[in-house]
Amino acid sequence: MLAVMVLACSDKKGTTKGSADEEEKVIELVTKEFSKSHEGPHTSAQYKIDFPVGGDENLRKVIFDYLYSMMEDYVGNVEEASKLSNDGQAFVDAYCNLSAEHLKNGWDCYSQGEEMDEVLDENATARLIVNEKKYVTYTFDYDCYFGGDGYSANRGATFLKADGRQLDGKWLFSKSQSPKLLKLVHKALKKEYAGNEGFLDPAFIDEMADLPEEFFITKDGIRFVYTQATAAWFLLNGIIPMEEAQDVLSDQASELLEE
């Protein structure tokens, strides 16, 4: 099913409060969901992408570059992918076909000609989850099973509409509040992995000294991801509720989130 998301309801200009002479441009981005699946004798691939199809050209390019980088990291390189920047279905088709090829080759190596019931599977989903006046947030979820091994990744990024900048921890949080932010990260990890202490012991979390590499804004709070394996071979993540994040936000982030 195709879903159309419009981030600004019109291209009319709005007037900035307190200044009748200055006008603030409303930046629009339009996306559609494109999807494709592949079913082979022992393989399965599924892709669903909210792809930019209209609106501000700079923002479209930033979103495409992000989607391309995620797909390249997890699925592989599609030749001349830049030519697909204006064709969402062709973009999804190209990566689904690449995945199907990889999975077939993987199955041939894994099974070594023997009869097996397993199915090698790969899927990726990119969603536009936040639509605000001045910023947008995309999430990218990836799962695969390659015969005996599996992998999952939950990534995300928030972009300012005005200039396409991807927000990071240095922009979102006050440097003077880093120790307090680290405690909030520890708390969020304990909540995220509650009941799975055998994998991620609370005492180990308390000893983690590095902040996450990736932060992005969601409706429920600020989600973070340790993009490098810190305690295991897959990515650690959690969410800091917005009410708890207020004390550690930078002035610019507080202003952004208040609007």
Side-chain angles (χ1 to χ4, degrees):
M1 179 180 69
L2 296 180
V4 179
M5 302 182 189
V6 181
L7 298 190
C9 61
S10 75
D11 58 1
K12 296 180 181 179
K13 292 183 177 180
T15 302
T16 305
K17 290 184 179 180
S19 176
D21 296 329
E22 296 180 2
E23 292 185 332
E24 182 179 348
K25 181 182 178 182
V26 176
I27 297 176
E28 181 184 77
L29 176 71
V30 181
T31 69
K32 287 184 179 180
E33 178 191 281
F34 294 94
S35 63
K36 185 174 181 177
S37 62
H38 166 82
E39 299 292 338
H42 299 284
T43 60
S44 173
Q46 304 87 31
Y47 289 90
K48 292 184 179 180
I49 308 293
D50 286 342
F51 193 87
V53 295
D56 184 78
E57 184 176 350
N58 179 62
L59 192 56
R60 286 177 60 192
K61 182 181 184 305
V62 168
I63 299 300
F64 172 80
D65 288 345
Y66 174 73
L67 294 175
Y68 172 60
S69 68
M70 291 293 102
M71 297 293 271
E72 185 178 40
D73 284 350
Y74 291 97
V75 185
N77 180 45
V78 171
E79 292 185 9
E80 299 182 334
S82 60
K83 293 183 178 180
L84 304 175
S85 61
N86 294 315
D87 192 337
Q89 190 60 57
F91 179 84
V92 172
D93 289 351
Y95 276 102
C96 191
N97 293 340
L98 179 63
S99 176
E101 180 182 346
H102 288 173
L103 289 169
K104 182 182 183 303
N105 292 338
W107 173 258
D108 291 342
C109 293
Y110 175 65
S111 66
Q112 296 181 343
E114 297 180 10
E115 290 294 329
M116 295 183 179
D117 295 329
E118 294 184 76
V119 175
L120 307 191
D121 180 81
E122 183 171 56
N123 60 81
T125 303
R127 285 285 178 263
L128 180 63
I129 66 163
V130 174
N131 164 16
E132 296 295 341
K133 180 180 178 182
K134 291 190 175 182
Y135 65 93
V136 296
T137 296
Y138 256 82
T139 57
F140 181 85
D141 298 317
Y142 174 83
D143 295 285
C144 71
Y145 174 75
F146 283 104
D149 291 313
Y151 185 81
S152 295
N154 308 107
R155 307 283 300 276
T158 296
F159 303 93
L160 289 178
K161 286 185 177 180
D163 57 14
R165 186 187 330 176
Q166 182 175 340
L167 303 188
D168 57 15
K170 293 180 180 179
W171 196 95
L172 286 167
F173 302 109
S174 169
K175 185 176 181 180
S176 63
Q177 301 293 344
S178 293
K180 186 179 292 187
L181 172 60
L182 187 60
K183 289 183 179 179
L184 290 176
V185 168
H186 290 174
K187 180 180 178 181
L189 285 173
K190 291 176 183 178
K191 181 178 180 181
E192 186 75 20
Y193 297 98
N196 196 11
E197 288 79 4
F199 157 69
L200 193 61
D201 190 273
F204 178 87
I205 295 176
D206 289 333
E207 294 177 358
M208 293 173 63
D210 296 326
L211 289 171
E213 294 93 342
E214 190 171 278
F215 293 93
F216 51 98
I217 302 169
T218 72
K219 293 292 186 181
D220 299 320
I222 298 178
R223 182 166 284 279
F224 60 83
V225 178
Y226 284 93
T227 56
Q228 300 298 321
T230 301
W233 59 278
F234 63 88
L235 286 67
L236 299 176
N237 64 88
I239 188 166
I240 302 173
M242 202 61 75
E243 60 271 16
E244 295 182 12
Q246 296 300 320
D247 292 339
V248 296
L249 292 175
S250 64
D251 292 341
Q252 56 198 7
S254 295
E255 182 180 352
L256 179 74
L257 293 170
E258 284 174 358
E259 296 185 357

